[in-house]
Amino acid sequence: MIRIFALALVFFSFAAAQNAFAQKTDTATTATSTTATTAEAPKPDTLIAIAQENGKRGDVFYLALNAAAEKGTDEVRTTLDYGLQNGGMNEAAVAVQWLVDHTFGLTDKTKFNAFYFLFLSDLQQRQAQTAQALGKMSDYNKAGAMALKALMHYEIVALADAERCDDSSVAVSVMTDLLSRYDALRYAYKIFTKEEYDLAGFDAIEAESSNSNRPVNLALCRSGDKGKADPNYTPKAVEDWSGKRNYLRIQYKNTWSDQFYKMREQKKP
């Protein structure tokens, strides 16, 4: 009961802030329109999409994920699992919105987290399977493409983060997690042209490169052998992390290109 009341209170505060922002925006828009009457008005489809996104951001589940993020990656994972298992299509859509906002749409780089890309990839893979079962092939392709893009982002960011863990088993764990997921996403490689795929790889490398000020990913580091032995394990500072990351980014330009052709081959029974 206390948790529900707290979420309701957060939602009320959020809604009030949204209304205040809307009033300020309306005032600014009115003032602007008097001096720029020739400006093109937003298309109806765009306005509907914006309204839908804002509706999801005001959802109690979205706010619960915000609260979970303040406590750490494990809490986000738990909240996602609970909401998706006990909710329906609305919770799935809200979860996707939250994860997109905290990955591809992230503006606060201090909250950059490799695991959010992994969570998004897993959820979109699930959405793709649902769309395929319903015969919605456009949604199937869209979800599959995002699942692959998110997984590529997770791979390069997580492996770079693993370089700061002072535990070689962390990178091994990351690669183990990736193998089964990439295999399940073989179909997604046929959604992309080579140029589109190369661009997705460039975006992933750029995302890793431009977020150099992100904190040590303790949740990732504690997934290795040292973390399993000590739940509070905190790695010591690693020298020349930027050099290790640069080498990794150069390596992956070729790794992903080779992977594209390999994964598009017909899988043997």
Side-chain angles (χ1 to χ4, degrees), residues 228-250:
K228 291 174 182 176
D230 176 11
N232 297 315
Y233 171 68
T234 302
K236 62 183 180 181
V238 175
E239 295 181 2
D240 194 26
W241 184 50
S242 61
K244 295 177 185 293
R245 291 165 58 223
N246 187 54
Y247 174 79
L248 191 66
R249 290 194 295 268
I250 293 173

Side-chain angles (χ1 to χ4, degrees), residues 198-251:
D198 287 343
L199 180 59
F202 174 82
D203 288 343
I205 290 172
E206 178 61 23
E208 195 288 319
S209 176
S210 63
N211 285 279
S212 58
N213 292 328
R214 62 186 184 271
V216 174
N217 193 326
L218 292 177
L220 181 72
C221 291
R222 290 169 181 169
S223 68
D225 292 342
K226 293 183 178 180
K228 291 174 182 176
D230 176 11
N232 297 315
Y233 171 68
T234 302
K236 62 183 180 181
V238 175
E239 295 181 2
D240 194 26
W241 184 50
S242 61
K244 295 177 185 293
R245 291 165 58 223
N246 187 54
Y247 174 79
L248 191 66
R249 290 194 295 268
I250 293 173
Q251 175 188 351

Side-chain angles (χ1 to χ4, degrees), residues 88-104:
M89 293 179 62
N90 177 68
E91 283 69 28
V94 170
V96 169
Q97 186 66 59
W98 191 90
L99 288 168
V100 168
D101 287 348
H102 289 76
T103 52
F104 297 111

Side-chain angles (χ1 to χ4, degrees), residues 155-204:
E155 180 172 16
I156 190 71
V157 176
L159 289 177
D161 284 348
E163 292 289 346
R164 289 202 286 185
C165 292
D166 192 30
D167 183 349
S168 60
S169 70
V170 174
V172 174
S173 178
V174 170
M175 293 306 297
T176 300
D177 285 343
L178 287 168
L179 288 175
S180 60
R181 287 177 168 87
Y182 272 124
D183 193 53
L185 283 169
R186 275 181 174 268
Y187 70 90
Y189 283 84
K190 296 182 180 180
I191 297 172
F192 290 95
T193 65
K194 183 60 165 60
E195 291 74 18
E196 291 170 339
Y197 177 79
D198 287 343
L199 180 59
F202 174 82
D203 288 343

